[in-house]
Amino acid sequence: MLEAVRNAFRLPDLRQKLFVTFSLLAFYRLAANIPLPGVDHQALSSIFQQNDNILLNFLNFFSGGGLSRMGVMALGVYPYITASIILQLLIPIIPALEELSKEGEGGRAKINQYTLWMTIPLAILQAIAQGTLLSSNAVGNIPVLPNWGFSPGDLMSTVTIIVGMTAGTMLGVWIGQLITEQGIGNGISLIIFAGILSNVPFQLQLLSQNPVLLAVFIVVTIATIVLIVWVQEGQRRIPVQYGKRVRTMRGNRMMMVGGQSTYIPLRVNTAGMIPLIFSQSLLILPSTLASYFVGRTDWIGAIANAILQFFSPTNAFYWVFYFLLTAAFTYFYTDVMFRQQNLPETLQKQGGFIPGIRPGPRTEQYLNNVLGRITLVGALFLGFMAVLPFVIGSLVDLLFGGGTGVMTNYNSLIISSSGMLIVVGVVLDTMKQIEAQLMMRNYEGFIR
């Protein structure tokens, strides 16, 4: 692997791509430290030191730590990810989008343009919601944005914050697209990847107070990464045979072409970490709404308190629902992605068939049955990744006698479950792209 790294830096064009990638990522991390006006950073720091608000931790995770700094990158590229997911779900529903998705590169460029347009209103809405949350008592007794509001006296400060956060999101998306076009790897994924790794030193500092606990979490992290790689690379290969076709040549000659054999790789975890995002977003919604009524003394306040306790990460039922929702969303999103590929029809048009299976409906039924069986493994895997912090936290508190604060923090791992899925996926994808560049020039890649 070290030899492959040296080979990558020996090639001028590949070295330039790596330099562009590292430079743009460094620029993004510097831009994330540009503060927004009208922010009480002392109150913001005290809120994140409590580390018990699952909504803020969730938003801070996808902003790459930008929310904890409340700078222009406070939203990160999460609105763009949300827009991409929404369009992916709308493609099989809206015929016009479905036709665009089948038009090749031009159709994909048009869909990407729609994604960018949708990102702007989503960023504005998220900036308003995030500012309202930080300015209220829902996250603490001291508002982080004391001048937030739409009254004449606070309107200018509010608009400045909204415009700054929205512009930061679009700047992050632009940097991500530059990395994709002129660098190595998927730019948006690499930006999230860099944000996740930027929080690792802080987590290590928290765990370094107990060396034994730190060693336990390092071992757990390594074992989890190995498990993720094993599952992420797992696939079921469906053999496909293409029939021979007759082609007429000049001079009244006949030539048989085709007849090659290949396979369809059905991945065990086709959905990636999207089900974790769906289920986590759904779980934090009740507690977020209830947090606005928790201060009331009537029956509404009592219901709000009950909802907060039921959907708290310290409650075992929270993790049971998290597991079930993640497994359900895994099946749902995998089915949506598989239907978009339309493999049975594509095979039939290209003259391909699965040996022993008739083309058409029989092929579709066979592929759906195989996909359902392997998706069960992927759903159980993602469900386990979802509840991994609770499992590890419970074991640590049991072994160390409690009082570690692990169970009260759903992201107590060095890198959260969702974060590890992203980190491993981005590293594997980037390594494969570098390997492809090296193999084109007769060098051995990273993966042998």
Side-chain angles (χ1 to χ4, degrees):
M1 180 174 177
L2 293 177
E3 183 64 27
V5 172
R6 285 195 292 266
N7 290 334
F9 280 97
R10 287 194 189 111
L11 299 172
D13 53 344
L14 189 54
R15 183 171 62 245
Q16 181 179 356
K17 288 178 178 290
L18 292 172
F19 176 75
V20 168
T21 301
F22 292 140
S23 300
L24 289 174
L25 288 177
F27 175 73
Y28 179 85
R29 295 310 306 168
L30 288 174
N33 292 298
I34 300 176
L36 288 170
V39 180
D40 189 340
H41 290 281
Q42 185 176 1
L44 182 66
S45 177
S46 64
I47 288 174
F48 278 97
Q49 284 177 358
Q50 297 172 3
N51 215 12
D52 58 354
N53 191 294
I54 58 174
L55 175 60
L56 287 183
N57 279 303
F58 177 73
L59 296 174
N60 189 49
F61 166 73
F62 282 103
S63 66
L67 180 59
S68 60
R69 301 178 184 89
M70 201 52 192
V72 294
M73 300 294 183
L75 298 180
V77 292
Y78 185 56
Y80 178 80
I81 297 173
T82 305
S84 301
I85 295 173
I86 291 174
L87 276 176
Q88 284 183 1
L89 296 177
L90 289 179
I91 284 175
I93 299 175
I94 301 177
L97 291 177
E98 190 174 5
E99 289 297 324
L100 275 178
S101 65
K102 298 178 180 179
E103 292 180 3
E105 190 65 30
R108 286 192 294 270
K110 198 69 175 178
I111 292 176
N112 185 51
Q113 186 178 6
Y114 292 155
T115 305
L116 290 174
W117 290 348
M118 188 181 294
T119 301
I120 297 175
L122 287 177
I124 293 174
L125 291 175
Q126 187 172 336
I128 294 173
Q130 208 160 281
T132 304
L133 178 66
L134 292 174
S135 65
S136 66
N137 293 326
V139 295
N141 296 324
I142 303 176
V144 177
L145 303 176
N147 298 323
W148 177 271
F150 294 93
S151 61
D154 299 330
L155 184 60
M156 183 59 67
S157 175
T158 302
V159 172
T160 302
I161 293 174
I162 294 173
V163 172
M165 295 168 74
T166 304
T169 294
M170 300 311 296
L171 175 63
V173 173
W174 178 68
I175 293 173
Q177 291 183 339
L178 279 181
I179 294 175
T180 303
E181 294 172 0
Q182 303 181 16
I184 290 289
N186 184 284
I188 300 297
S189 300
L190 284 171
I191 285 176
I192 301 175
F193 167 82
I196 294 170
L197 291 187
S198 67
N199 293 325
V200 172
F202 176 72
Q203 289 293 100
L204 290 175
Q205 183 181 2
L206 290 178
L207 294 171
S208 62
Q209 301 173 3
N210 190 330
V212 178
L213 189 63
L214 176 61
V216 170
F217 275 86
I218 290 176
V219 172
V220 169
T221 301
I222 295 174
T224 306
I225 291 175
V226 172
L227 176 64
I228 292 174
V229 172
W230 182 61
V231 176
Q232 290 288 88
E233 293 299 296
Q235 56 183 228
R236 169 75 181 275
R237 297 183 175 182
I238 307 297
V240 175
Q241 183 72 34
Y242 287 92
K244 293 184 178 181
R245 291 171 291 178
V246 179
R247 188 173 62 183
T248 304
M249 307 292 290
R250 289 183 179 180
N252 296 326
R253 289 188 304 170
M254 307 291 289
M255 182 177 179
M256 302 293 292
V257 297
Q260 68 270 23
S261 299
T262 183
Y263 62 86
I264 301 174
L266 296 181
R267 301 183 67 88
V268 174
N269 182 22
T270 305
M273 51 87 62
I274 299 299
L276 288 172
I277 300 177
F278 283 171
S279 55
Q280 204 167 53
S281 301
L282 194 60
L283 279 174
I284 65 176
L285 181 61
S287 58
T288 302
L289 296 177
S291 62
Y292 290 100
F293 304 98
V294 71
R296 300 184 56 160
T297 57
D298 54 359
W299 63 273
I300 298 179
I303 294 177
N305 280 309
I307 292 175
L308 284 176
Q309 292 178 3
F310 188 81
F311 286 95
S312 171
T314 57
N315 191 343
F317 287 104
Y318 170 89
W319 298 99
V320 172
F321 280 122
Y322 196 5
F323 180 90
L324 296 176
L325 281 175
T326 301
F329 278 127
T330 301
Y331 272 96
F332 169 74
Y333 193 73
T334 300
D335 183 68
V336 170
M337 295 297 294
F338 183 72
R339 289 180 184 275
Q340 288 182 15
Q341 296 176 1
N342 201 8
L343 288 178
E345 183 178 346
T346 303
L347 282 176
Q348 193 169 12
K349 287 181 179 180
Q350 296 177 353
F353 63 94
I354 300 173
I357 308 296
R358 289 184 179 180
R362 291 290 183 88
T363 298
E364 183 178 3
Q365 182 182 2
Y366 174 77
L367 290 175
N368 286 332
N369 291 336
V370 174
L371 187 68
R373 290 195 297 269
I374 64 174
T375 303
L376 175 62
V377 179
L380 294 176
F381 163 71
L382 289 178
F384 171 74
M385 292 299 298
V387 301
L388 182 62
F390 176 75
V391 174
I392 299 301
S394 302
L395 292 176
V396 168
D397 282 349
L398 180 64
L399 295 175
F400 289 88
T404 61
V406 172
M407 286 185 63
T408 60
N409 181 5
Y410 83 111
N411 273 340
S412 58
L413 302 174
I414 296 176
I415 303 178
S416 66
S417 302
S418 304
M420 278 192 281
L421 282 169
I422 295 176
V423 168
V424 173
V426 170
V427 169
L428 289 175
D429 180 65
T430 306
M431 286 173 59
K432 289 177 181 178
Q433 290 197 29
I434 296 177
E435 182 192 26
Q437 295 283 338
L438 291 173
M439 295 300 291
M440 288 172 58
R441 297 162 178 83
N442 297 323
Y443 282 107
E444 290 186 350
F446 293 98
I447 305 173
R448 299 182 181 179

